[in-house]
Amino acid sequence: MACKTIDQIDVASKRVLMRVDFNVPLDDEGNVTDNRRIGQSMPSIQSVLDRKGRLILMSHLGRPEGNGYEQAYSLKPAVDRLRELLPDVKITFVEKDCVGEEAKKAVESIKDGEIVILDNLRFHEEERKGDAGFAAKLASYGDIYCNEAFGTSHREDASMFAVPKAMEGKPRVAGLLLRKELRYLSETISNAERPFVAVLGGVKVSDKLGAIRSLLDRVDSILVGGAMAYTFIKALGHEVGSSLVQLGMLKQAEQIIEEAAERETKLFLPVDHVCGKQISKQTPVKVFKESIEAGWMGLDIGPETVNQFTEQIGRARTIVWNGPMGVYETEPFDVGTHRIAESIVTATERGATSVVGGGDSAAAVDHFRMVDRFSHVSTGGGASLQMLEGKRFATVDLLDQS
Ligand code: AMP
């Protein structure tokens, strides 16, 4: 069974309370620097507007104190972007509030095919606390609840859980982006076509331990890159110079290596390393095999590792990727991540299914301008990682099933 989606229910003249994830990155001047989350909600938004529904959008942005309005966290930049995307639609922005008199008035006077967007839910600390009273006010705005906020679905904030709970008896459905995220991050991975390869990187083993453990049972091979690899390499007794190592995780890394061997899951670690003295474009660069000399830091996977990883990816029918292979933000340490991204794209073009986790891996493929070339690039960092851990989300479980 799958969640019922917004396009499967009648919305004409109904108030659709849609929790979107407009938690977008902003630059110092308050401009949105990555529009993917807004852009990818558009099919759900358009679906309601085209069928003359009345759309009430709500979201959080960043981490304000929770004691009222803070200009730096206003949803205004996201609203400006929405207005550019929908120039002919009446969009009323309830600036500074979401549950006060202004919000109530705007929701009461909304007409078919219009949008009301409430300001940052987290201006009220009740949002993070999942407060029932706060949720009841938001719930009173809608005839239909729609969860289109995959990036927040692992959190039981009021708008994610208490609001739909308070709307029991009314339709509670998934947005089209949420549905797509669940399809790729849960269903595709649970019934993956083999060979199934996981590519994991980034900094901390501790962040990805749950995902590694859960994937060990499901994949044919795991390719580990990024700083995370050095905790494993150190656990095997090799010298890693001044590479980042999580000393507190050496035991767990050793256990994972043993568990992989027991399950006959192939665990690949880098066999060569592009190293620098520090993270900088100007640093001297040297490639080491196996042991890294003192004073050098592993900052990217080396060419032999790229070849080994690419060979595995080339054979895969399903690939899931979470975490960059090196410091992709700083040349020349971007090469490994770029080459791995390219090999996953090539595999995708010949029919494999590729899923890229949100957060830094999504930022990396965005940096390389390759977002559209994977089967799916997630919009949720923490949420996609928890899905890879095999967790269920209460916020999704309470939605109507089709
Ligand atoms: P995470 O949020 O754990 O996925 O980590 C992403 C970050 O890991 C990126 O900012 C990369 O620059 C960084 N990173 C990847 N490989 C390395 C490395 N070998 N040394 C230091 N940082 C790294």
Side-chain angles (χ1 to χ4, degrees):
M1 278 219 295
C3 299
K4 197 176 255 188
T5 46
I6 188 68
D7 56 333
Q8 294 172 337
I9 58 165
D10 177 24
V11 295
S13 299
K14 305 235 170 63
R15 288 191 174 85
V16 178
L17 181 61
M18 187 182 287
R19 175 42 158 112
V20 283
D21 183 5
F22 284 179
N23 181 27
V24 287
L26 301 173
D27 64 16
D28 292 343
E29 272 110 59
N31 301 305
V32 180
T33 55
D34 178 359
N35 285 306
R36 266 182 343 115
R37 285 180 166 172
I38 300 177
Q40 294 208 38
S41 306
M42 289 314 289
S44 290
I45 290 174
Q46 203 69 62
S47 161
V48 173
L49 299 177
D50 287 350
R51 293 178 293 142
K52 301 276 172 271
R54 305 171 181 194
L55 189 58
I56 298 141
L57 297 177
M58 56 180 177
S59 178
H60 79 280
L61 192 154
R63 292 171 185 260
E65 292 289 319
N67 302 322
Y69 176 73
E70 288 174 58
Q71 197 190 347
Y73 295 103
S74 170
L75 274 170
K76 180 147 191 323
V79 176
D80 291 343
R81 178 68 190 143
L82 195 64
R83 287 193 166 126
E84 280 167 23
L85 291 169
L86 298 168
D88 302 325
V89 174
K90 183 175 174 202
I91 300 176
T92 306
F93 178 38
V94 185
E95 201 163 357
K96 303 186 183 177
D97 196 24
C98 57
V99 286
E101 273 310 303
E102 283 279 313
K104 200 163 161 238
K105 254 195 276 169
V107 166
E108 275 167 6
S109 50
I110 190 171
K111 298 205 171 53
D112 296 353
E114 291 182 0
I115 297 178
V116 165
I117 173 160
L118 310 173
D119 212 342
N120 196 341
L121 297 164
R122 288 193 187 167
F123 288 153
H124 296 259
E125 62 180 2
E126 293 90 336
E127 165 68 358
R128 296 299 308 276
K129 291 185 171 159
D131 183 81
F134 175 72
K137 286 187 200 161
L138 291 168
S140 72
Y141 298 161
D143 304 310
I144 294 165
Y145 174 82
C146 177
N147 177 341
E148 185 59 320
F150 175 71
T152 322
S153 286
H154 57 313
R155 298 184 194 283
E156 288 172 34
D157 289 0
S159 61
M160 299 300 303
F161 188 72
V163 170
K165 198 106 185 102
M167 289 173 72
E168 207 165 349
K170 294 179 179 174
R172 299 176 296 180
V173 296
L176 302 170
L177 172 61
L178 176 70
R179 178 76 196 96
K180 187 175 175 218
E181 295 272 13
L182 297 174
R183 193 161 66 230
Y184 279 103
L185 285 156
S186 174
E187 292 150 41
T188 299
I189 285 171
S190 305
N191 307 300
E193 228 189 293
R194 288 176 178 271
F196 181 9
V197 172
V199 185
L200 298 175
V203 175
K204 290 189 177 165
V205 178
S206 53
D207 287 353
K208 312 231 161 129
L209 197 63
I212 301 175
R213 283 240 153 82
S214 158
L215 288 167
L216 269 181
D217 285 328
R218 293 189 271 173
V219 302
D220 298 289
S221 19
I222 300 189
L223 319 178
V224 180
M228 203 169 92
Y230 297 109
T231 303
F232 285 92
I233 293 172
K234 176 117 184 145
L236 288 170
H238 297 288
E239 291 301 326
V240 296
S242 45
S243 308
L244 290 182
V245 168
Q246 267 189 296
L247 291 173
M249 295 302 290
L250 291 174
K251 196 100 219 108
Q252 281 91 335
E254 219 176 296
Q255 273 168 7
I256 286 173
I257 293 169
E258 282 164 18
E259 283 170 34
E262 279 162 22
R263 288 171 175 73
E264 295 182 20
T265 305
K266 285 183 252 157
L267 182 73
F268 287 82
L269 295 170
V271 292
D272 56 349
H273 319 275
V274 181
C275 300
K277 298 261 179 189
Q278 68 255 325
I279 301 178
S280 145
K281 235 177 164 168
Q282 280 77 35
T283 188
V285 176
K286 197 166 166 183
V287 178
F288 289 91
K289 291 192 179 171
E290 297 200 353
S291 297
I292 299 175
E293 263 173 39
W296 292 88
M297 254 179 129
L299 296 174
D300 193 12
I301 54 174
E304 265 184 45
T305 309
V306 167
N307 287 343
Q308 277 194 2
F309 285 14
T310 301
E311 199 186 319
Q312 292 300 314
I313 292 165
R315 288 202 208 119
R317 294 295 303 162
T318 310
I319 303 142
V320 53
W321 179 21
N322 195 303
M325 298 289 98
V327 183
Y328 73 92
E329 305 95 328
T330 309
E331 288 172 15
F333 307 109
D334 56 338
V335 175
T337 306
H338 199 177
R339 293 279 313 278
I340 294 306
E342 278 172 342
S343 74
I344 300 176
V345 163
T346 306
T348 313
E349 284 165 358
R350 55 148 193 80
T353 302
S354 58
V355 184
V356 182
D360 266 295
S361 347
V365 299
D366 191 42
H367 177 79
F368 301 133
R369 306 199 179 284
M370 294 168 90
V371 171
D372 300 330
R373 302 176 65 197
F374 300 85
S375 310
H376 182 62
V377 178
S378 178
T379 54
S384 68
L385 199 55
Q386 290 201 13
M387 285 250 118
L388 292 183
E389 289 170 15
K391 289 201 177 137
R392 294 192 68 90
F393 296 164
T395 57
V396 170
D397 284 344
L398 59 59
L399 300 176
D400 300 342
Q401 300 293 306
S402 61

